[in-house]
């Protein structure tokens, strides 16, 4: 599915409304999709579970999947409905990263508190070259939730 398409966003928005899920503005496709994932998937996970290959629109810093269009090289681990870690291959293409940052900046200007501004310094660093890189976030805050 093309999450950049307005008709897709409208379908997601209608579903969120019909389920009476709280999703304050801006009601972008990534935010709506995140609410739906939480409602249908994340909140129901009991056993240790990995959610893999997130849509690109939900993962602005993750490298795009090498063989599955529209997805990223990313995973999250959940236990008892809580996210314990988030990991992904870093997007190291400066042009793609700049476009993702610009999309984030638009979302931030529309009221998305989780969206980021353009990090021009990071884009310049990518232009100089970033070897294949990955990371995994698992802070103590996640373990004591």
């Amino acid at each position: 599915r093309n999450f950049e398409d307005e008709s897709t966003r409208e379908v997601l928005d209608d579903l969120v409304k019909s389920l009476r899920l709280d999703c304050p503005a801006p009601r972008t496709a990534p935010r709506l999709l995140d609410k739906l994932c939480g409602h249908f998937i994340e909140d129901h996970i009991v056993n240790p579970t990995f959610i893999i290959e997130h849509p690109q629109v939900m993962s602005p810093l993750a490298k795009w999947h090498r063989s599955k269009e529209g997805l990223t090289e990313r995973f999250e681990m959940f236990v008892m409905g809580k996210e314990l870690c988030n990991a992904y291959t870093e997007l190291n293409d400066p042009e793609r990263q700049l476009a993702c940052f610009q999309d984030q900046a638009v979302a931030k200007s529309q009221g998305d508190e989780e969206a980021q501004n353009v990090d021009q310094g990071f884009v310049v660093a990518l232009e100089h070259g970033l070897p294949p890189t990955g990371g995994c976030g698992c802070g103590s805050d996640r373990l004591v939730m």
Side-chain angles (χ1 to χ4, degrees):
R1 191 164 283 245
N2 180 3
F3 293 107
E4 304 292 331
D5 186 64
E6 177 60 19
S7 64
T8 301
R9 192 206 65 76
E10 289 172 1
V11 168
L12 295 171
D13 194 35
D14 290 344
L15 184 55
V16 167
K17 286 176 186 173
S18 72
L19 294 167
R20 295 187 176 105
L21 300 177
D22 182 40
C23 184
R27 295 173 73 89
T28 61
R31 289 172 54 87
L32 295 164
L33 192 56
D34 186 58
K35 288 295 178 185
L36 292 167
C37 288
H39 178 74
F40 285 112
I41 301 170
E42 297 167 0
D43 293 347
H44 302 283
I45 294 173
V46 176
N47 297 319
T49 303
F50 289 94
I51 299 176
I52 63 171
E53 300 173 347
H54 294 62
Q56 290 173 353
V57 296
M58 295 182 70
S59 309
L61 297 175
K63 182 173 249 176
W64 297 3
H65 200 286
R66 297 160 209 231
S67 61
K68 297 178 181 178
E69 186 176 340
L71 301 178
T72 59
E73 296 180 356
R74 176 181 172 200
F75 72 82
E76 294 174 311
M77 183 179 133
F78 281 80
V79 178
M80 300 293 294
K82 301 291 183 199
E83 178 188 318
L84 293 186
C85 77
N86 179 24
Y88 52 88
T89 306
E90 297 275 352
L91 178 58
N92 59 355
D93 179 321
E95 291 177 12
R96 285 185 177 177
Q97 186 62 74
L98 179 58
C100 289
F101 277 148
Q102 290 169 335
D103 290 344
Q104 287 274 299
V106 169
K108 186 174 182 100
S109 72
Q110 294 172 341
D112 186 342
E113 295 175 0
E114 294 182 14
Q116 305 297 313
N117 289 315
V118 175
D119 185 342
Q120 200 63 47
F122 186 66
V123 174
V124 169
L126 290 179
E127 289 171 346
H128 292 286
L130 175 68
T133 308
C136 177
C138 183
S140 60
D141 59 326
R142 295 172 189 245
L143 299 176
V144 297
M145 286 194 283

